[in-house]
Amino acid sequence: MEIILERQDIQNWHKRHIYMKTEKLIENIPPRCNQEEESFPFCTRYVDIFIVSTDHIRERSENELIMTGVQHEEYLKKKSKKIQRISPNKMFHWCHRSRLIPHMVMVVGVPGVGKTTLMQKFVYDWVKGDLYQRFSFVFFFKFRELNRLDKISLETLILHHYPYLWPQLGNILQDPDKLLFIFDGLNESNQTMDFTSRHLCSDPKQPERCGHIVVSLVRKSLLTGCSVLMTSRPTRLASMDCKVFHRIIEITGFFREERQSYFKNFFRDPELAEKAFTYVKQNDTLYTFCYLPSYCWIICTVLSRSFQTTSSDQQVSLLPRTVTQLFAIFVANILSNHSLEKSGAQKLLQSIGWMAEHGVMNHSIIFDDRDLESFHVDNKSNLLSSFLMESEEPVSYSFLHLTVQEFFSAFVHYADYSPEKLQESLERALSYCDGRGEMFLRFLCGLSDATTRSLLTGYLATQAAQASRDVITWLKNFIPEEQIQAHSEDHKRHLLRTFFYLFEARNADLVQESLKSYTCIDLSTVRMSALDCAVLAFILDTCKTIEELNLTGCFLQTEGLERLSPGLHTVKYLSLRANNLTNHSCISLASVIRTNPFLRKLHLSYNRLSGPHLSDLMGALSSPTCEIEELRLADNDLTDTCCIQLASGMTNPSLKILDLSRNRLSGPHLEDLMKALSSPGCRIEELYLDKVGLPDTSCIQLASGIRNNPFLKRLDLSNNFLSGHHLKDLMEALTSSTCKIEELHMLGNGLSDAEEEAVRNLRTLKSNLKILI
C-alpha cells in the first residue's frame, strides 16, 4: 500500500511538472529588441489545426511548403465526408488501415504547421485529465536536445529530463502499457534511424545511441507494449521505411475558419483583426500560405505594424502584395527597432545570409557554433536573436521559420553581391529535383524589384542593382520560346513556375518582354490551385498579347475561376473544359463575358453548370458587348428546363456555333430552344445535339426550328431516339425551301431500314446535303 501511494504521489508530481511546462502557449510578438516573447494561457490562444489520415509518405518533387499549400487547397475542394479527419483524441483509436489499435503513431507536417504545438496540446490535455488517461506517464523528448548525447540508457535518458522519477522509475517501467513516449522533430535528429534494422536493444539499463533506443521502442523490442508518438517533416520520411508505424497522420494546418480565429486571437482589437483578415483574404498569395500557423504569425506581425502607421500613404506602402514583400517588411521592421549601426547590421545579415543559403542548398535547418564560426556570424550580437532561435543542451540555432531562412539565402546576393556566387547558386537551385531551391528562386526574383528592395535600403550592397539585372537576365533566358515549348506536363509546369517568378518580380515590362512571342498559353491537364490561378491572372492582365488560353482539365473549380477571371478580359479563345465548374461558376463566367469584348470562342464542356445561375451566363451572352461566335456546353448536366435559359442566349447574332451535346434536353421546353433558333436575331450556323435523349416526338419541335432558320448549315442529331412516327416531320422540314442545312448527322438513332432509306433519299431532293447515318 505504501509503494502504491508513493508511486501515485510521483505520478501527480510528474503531471504538475509537465503542466507547468505546457499550460502556457509561447508566442512571439511583433519584433522589438527591447521586448521578449509573451506567453498566453493555452485555452485563449490555441486554434485547432486540421489533421488527416494518410497511407504513406510520398517522395516530394516540389518544395514541401508549396506542395502542401496546393494540397491544402485540394482538401478545401473536397467534401468533408471524403476526408478522414483525425482529432487529437483519436490518434490512438482503432485504425482501419492497419486494422488494429495503434501503438506507434507518426505525425507529419511541414515546418511551422504546428507539430510541436500539437504535441504540447496533447500533453496539456493529458495532464488536465481530458485525454488518454490510460497512460500513467508521458515522456516528452525533442530530437534536437538528444543530438548532443552519445551512448545512454533509456533509464538515464528519462532521469536526465525527469530526475524526480528516480525513486520509482524501475516500477514505472515494469508497466509499459501505461507509458507514452513523445519524440518531437525527427527531421532535426543528426542520427541515422533505420526502422527496419534487426539490431535492436531490449534492456532499458543498457547504454545505446539515442537513435538506437528510439528504433527499439518503435520496433517493440524495448518496453514491449509502450506507445510512441513521433513528429517529422515529410522530407526526412520520404526516404525511410515507415511501415512500422500503425498510423501516419498529416497536419495540413488551418482551414478558413481557423485562419480567421487566429487573427482574432492575435489582434486584441476586433476591428483591427477584421481589417487585417479582410486584407489577407483579398490577397491570394498571402491567404494561401495562411494554412501555416507560423505564416499567420508573420503576416499578423507585419500587418499589426502597417495598420498602426499613422500616415495613410506610408501604411499603403507597408502592405505586402507578394511573399517577398511580406518577408522584406518583416525583416525591415526588425531592423528598424535595433540599436546596432547599419554597417554592423549589414555585416551580420551577410554572414547569416551565407549560412542560410548553405543550409537551403544542403537541406540543413539546424546550425551549431561551428557553423556560426565558419560563416563569421557574431553570436554575441543582440540582433542575432531576432532572426535565429537558440536552443540549449546542446547549443544549436535555427531560423524563426524555414521561409525566413530561404528569404535570407536570396537576400544575401543583394547584400553581398558576387556574380560568380550568384550564378553558381542559380545553377544549384535549379539542379535539385526535390524543390528545395524553389522559394530561394522566388525570393531572388522578388528582390529584383527596386520597390521591394527599397524596403531594406541601407543594408544592400552598392552593386545590388547589378544583382537585380543579373537575375532579370537569367529570368528572361529561363522562359522558353512559345514555338519551341513542348506540350508535356513538365514543360507546362516549367512555364507555370516562371509565372511565379515574374509575379514576385512585379515587373510589367519584364512580363511583356519575356512573353512577347506568346499568343497562346496551354496549361491543359496541369492541376492548378487557386494561387496558381491568381498568379496566371496577373500574367494575363499584364501581357496583352495572349489570345488563346487552354486550361482544359486543370481542376480549377469555382474558387480558381474567381481568382482567374480578372485576367481574362483580353483573350479571344478560352477553354475551361473539364474543370469541375458548378452552377455558381456561371456568375464569374458572366462577368468574364461582359468585360471581355474580344472573346470569340468559349469552351465549357464537361462541367456542371446546370442551375439557376445559368441565367446569368445566358444574360451575359445576349448582352450587346458580347461577340462570342462559338459556345460549347456539352455534358453539363443541362436538363429540359435549362432550355428556357439557353433560349435567351441564342438570340445573340454573333453566335454561330452552339454545342449542347451529352445533356438531357428532352421535354416540353425543347420548344423554347427551337423558338429561339427560329427567331429573327438567331444566326446559329452549327448546332450540336448529339446524345441529348431526344425521342421521335421531339421531331415536331426540331422541325419548327429547322424550317424557320435560314442560317443553320450543320445539325448533329446523333445518338438519340428519333426512330418513329414523327421522324417524317423532321424529313419534311429538311426538304423545305427555307431550310439551308448542308450537313446532317443522324448516327446511332436506331432507325429502321425504311427510315434510313428515307433519310438517304433526302439527297435526291437536296443535292448539296451531306448526310451521316
Side-chain angles (χ1 to χ4, degrees), residues 146-158:
L146 303 183
N147 284 340
R148 71 181 182 86
L149 302 176
D150 194 11
K151 284 194 172 184
I152 190 172
S153 70
L154 178 60
E155 282 193 357
T156 307
L157 178 62
I158 294 172

PDB file of all heavy atoms in Angstrom, residues 146-158:
ATOM      1  N   LEU A 146      18.463  15.699 -28.058  1.00  0.00           N
ATOM      2  CA  LEU A 146      19.125  14.396 -27.943  1.00  0.00           C
ATOM      3  C   LEU A 146      20.394  14.328 -28.783  1.00  0.00           C
ATOM      4  O   LEU A 146      21.170  13.380 -28.646  1.00  0.00           O
ATOM      5  CB  LEU A 146      18.159  13.278 -28.380  1.00  0.00           C
ATOM      6  CG  LEU A 146      16.816  13.184 -27.643  1.00  0.00           C
ATOM      7  CD1 LEU A 146      16.019  11.989 -28.155  1.00  0.00           C
ATOM      8  CD2 LEU A 146      17.028  13.069 -26.131  1.00  0.00           C
ATOM      9  N   ASN A 147      20.603  15.325 -29.644  1.00  0.00           N
ATOM     10  CA  ASN A 147      21.742  15.271 -30.558  1.00  0.00           C
ATOM     11  C   ASN A 147      23.090  15.254 -29.843  1.00  0.00           C
ATOM     12  O   ASN A 147      24.046  14.652 -30.324  1.00  0.00           O
ATOM     13  CB  ASN A 147      21.699  16.463 -31.528  1.00  0.00           C
ATOM     14  CG  ASN A 147      20.652  16.282 -32.615  1.00  0.00           C
ATOM     15  OD1 ASN A 147      20.217  15.167 -32.892  1.00  0.00           O
ATOM     16  ND2 ASN A 147      20.232  17.379 -33.226  1.00  0.00           N
ATOM     17  N   ARG A 148      23.157  15.936 -28.699  1.00  0.00           N
ATOM     18  CA  ARG A 148      24.453  16.043 -28.013  1.00  0.00           C
ATOM     19  C   ARG A 148      24.800  14.776 -27.223  1.00  0.00           C
ATOM     20  O   ARG A 148      25.934  14.594 -26.802  1.00  0.00           O
ATOM     21  CB  ARG A 148      24.447  17.234 -27.066  1.00  0.00           C
ATOM     22  CG  ARG A 148      23.574  17.032 -25.837  1.00  0.00           C
ATOM     23  CD  ARG A 148      23.581  18.249 -24.945  1.00  0.00           C
ATOM     24  NE  ARG A 148      22.792  18.034 -23.760  1.00  0.00           N
ATOM     25  CZ  ARG A 148      23.237  17.474 -22.638  1.00  0.00           C
ATOM     26  NH1 ARG A 148      24.493  17.052 -22.569  1.00  0.00           N
ATOM     27  NH2 ARG A 148      22.440  17.322 -21.599  1.00  0.00           N
ATOM     28  N   LEU A 149      23.805  13.915 -27.022  1.00  0.00           N
ATOM     29  CA  LEU A 149      24.022  12.728 -26.191  1.00  0.00           C
ATOM     30  C   LEU A 149      24.705  11.627 -26.987  1.00  0.00           C
ATOM     31  O   LEU A 149      24.347  11.360 -28.131  1.00  0.00           O
ATOM     32  CB  LEU A 149      22.685  12.223 -25.639  1.00  0.00           C
ATOM     33  CG  LEU A 149      21.878  13.234 -24.809  1.00  0.00           C
ATOM     34  CD1 LEU A 149      20.547  12.637 -24.402  1.00  0.00           C
ATOM     35  CD2 LEU A 149      22.673  13.668 -23.580  1.00  0.00           C
ATOM     36  N   ASP A 150      25.664  10.998 -26.368  1.00  0.00           N
ATOM     37  CA  ASP A 150      26.347   9.869 -27.007  1.00  0.00           C
ATOM     38  C   ASP A 150      25.597   8.604 -26.621  1.00  0.00           C
ATOM     39  O   ASP A 150      24.398   8.518 -26.822  1.00  0.00           O
ATOM     40  CB  ASP A 150      27.807   9.839 -26.561  1.00  0.00           C
ATOM     41  CG  ASP A 150      28.658   8.928 -27.430  1.00  0.00           C
ATOM     42  OD1 ASP A 150      28.156   8.496 -28.487  1.00  0.00           O
ATOM     43  OD2 ASP A 150      29.804   8.664 -27.059  1.00  0.00           O
ATOM     44  N   LYS A 151      26.271   7.642 -26.058  1.00  0.00           N
ATOM     45  CA  LYS A 151      25.587   6.435 -25.609  1.00  0.00           C
ATOM     46  C   LYS A 151      24.976   6.675 -24.232  1.00  0.00           C
ATOM     47  O   LYS A 151      25.615   7.209 -23.339  1.00  0.00           O
ATOM     48  CB  LYS A 151      26.554   5.249 -25.565  1.00  0.00           C
ATOM     49  CG  LYS A 151      26.877   4.685 -26.941  1.00  0.00           C
ATOM     50  CD  LYS A 151      27.552   3.336 -26.824  1.00  0.00           C
ATOM     51  CE  LYS A 151      27.708   2.676 -28.190  1.00  0.00           C
ATOM     52  NZ  LYS A 151      28.276   1.327 -28.080  1.00  0.00           N
ATOM     53  N   ILE A 152      23.715   6.235 -24.105  1.00  0.00           N
ATOM     54  CA  ILE A 152      22.991   6.473 -22.871  1.00  0.00           C
ATOM     55  C   ILE A 152      21.909   5.411 -22.769  1.00  0.00           C
ATOM     56  O   ILE A 152      21.384   4.940 -23.782  1.00  0.00           O
ATOM     57  CB  ILE A 152      22.381   7.895 -22.868  1.00  0.00           C
ATOM     58  CG1 ILE A 152      21.839   8.260 -21.497  1.00  0.00           C
ATOM     59  CG2 ILE A 152      21.302   8.033 -23.930  1.00  0.00           C
ATOM     60  CD1 ILE A 152      21.397   9.735 -21.396  1.00  0.00           C
ATOM     61  N   SER A 153      21.568   5.011 -21.579  1.00  0.00           N
ATOM     62  CA  SER A 153      20.490   4.034 -21.416  1.00  0.00           C
ATOM     63  C   SER A 153      19.148   4.764 -21.395  1.00  0.00           C
ATOM     64  O   SER A 153      19.092   5.980 -21.146  1.00  0.00           O
ATOM     65  CB  SER A 153      20.670   3.251 -20.113  1.00  0.00           C
ATOM     66  OG  SER A 153      20.428   4.085 -18.990  1.00  0.00           O
ATOM     67  N   LEU A 154      18.092   4.017 -21.638  1.00  0.00           N
ATOM     68  CA  LEU A 154      16.766   4.627 -21.609  1.00  0.00           C
ATOM     69  C   LEU A 154      16.453   5.169 -20.222  1.00  0.00           C
ATOM     70  O   LEU A 154      15.886   6.264 -20.089  1.00  0.00           O
ATOM     71  CB  LEU A 154      15.710   3.595 -22.024  1.00  0.00           C
ATOM     72  CG  LEU A 154      14.250   4.087 -21.984  1.00  0.00           C
ATOM     73  CD1 LEU A 154      14.043   5.281 -22.908  1.00  0.00           C
ATOM     74  CD2 LEU A 154      13.288   2.961 -22.364  1.00  0.00           C
ATOM     75  N   GLU A 155      16.827   4.440 -19.192  1.00  0.00           N
ATOM     76  CA  GLU A 155      16.578   4.901 -17.825  1.00  0.00           C
ATOM     77  C   GLU A 155      17.275   6.231 -17.572  1.00  0.00           C
ATOM     78  O   GLU A 155      16.699   7.159 -17.019  1.00  0.00           O
ATOM     79  CB  GLU A 155      17.054   3.851 -16.818  1.00  0.00           C
ATOM     80  CG  GLU A 155      16.105   2.675 -16.658  1.00  0.00           C
ATOM     81  CD  GLU A 155      16.453   1.825 -15.440  1.00  0.00           C
ATOM     82  OE1 GLU A 155      17.476   2.144 -14.774  1.00  0.00           O
ATOM     83  OE2 GLU A 155      15.728   0.865 -15.158  1.00  0.00           O
ATOM     84  N   THR A 156      18.544   6.319 -17.967  1.00  0.00           N
ATOM     85  CA  THR A 156      19.315   7.555 -17.752  1.00  0.00           C
ATOM     86  C   THR A 156      18.725   8.698 -18.560  1.00  0.00           C
ATOM     87  O   THR A 156      18.673   9.848 -18.102  1.00  0.00           O
ATOM     88  CB  THR A 156      20.785   7.339 -18.144  1.00  0.00           C
ATOM     89  OG1 THR A 156      21.293   6.190 -17.455  1.00  0.00           O
ATOM     90  CG2 THR A 156      21.627   8.554 -17.805  1.00  0.00           C
ATOM     91  N   LEU A 157      18.250   8.391 -19.779  1.00  0.00           N
ATOM     92  CA  LEU A 157      17.638   9.409 -20.624  1.00  0.00           C
ATOM     93  C   LEU A 157      16.391   9.985 -19.963  1.00  0.00           C
ATOM     94  O   LEU A 157      16.185  11.211 -19.946  1.00  0.00           O
ATOM     95  CB  LEU A 157      17.269   8.791 -21.983  1.00  0.00           C
ATOM     96  CG  LEU A 157      16.568   9.706 -22.991  1.00  0.00           C
ATOM     97  CD1 LEU A 157      17.449  10.878 -23.372  1.00  0.00           C
ATOM     98  CD2 LEU A 157      16.172   8.915 -24.241  1.00  0.00           C
ATOM     99  N   ILE A 158      15.575   9.125 -19.386  1.00  0.00           N
ATOM    100  CA  ILE A 158      14.359   9.593 -18.703  1.00  0.00           C
ATOM    101  C   ILE A 158      14.720  10.438 -17.485  1.00  0.00           C
ATOM    102  O   ILE A 158      14.163  11.520 -17.267  1.00  0.00           O
ATOM    103  CB  ILE A 158      13.480   8.396 -18.292  1.00  0.00           C
ATOM    104  CG1 ILE A 158      12.940   7.674 -19.541  1.00  0.00           C
ATOM    105  CG2 ILE A 158      12.319   8.855 -17.408  1.00  0.00           C
ATOM    106  CD1 ILE A 158      12.221   6.371 -19.235  1.00  0.00           C
TER     107      ILE A 158
END
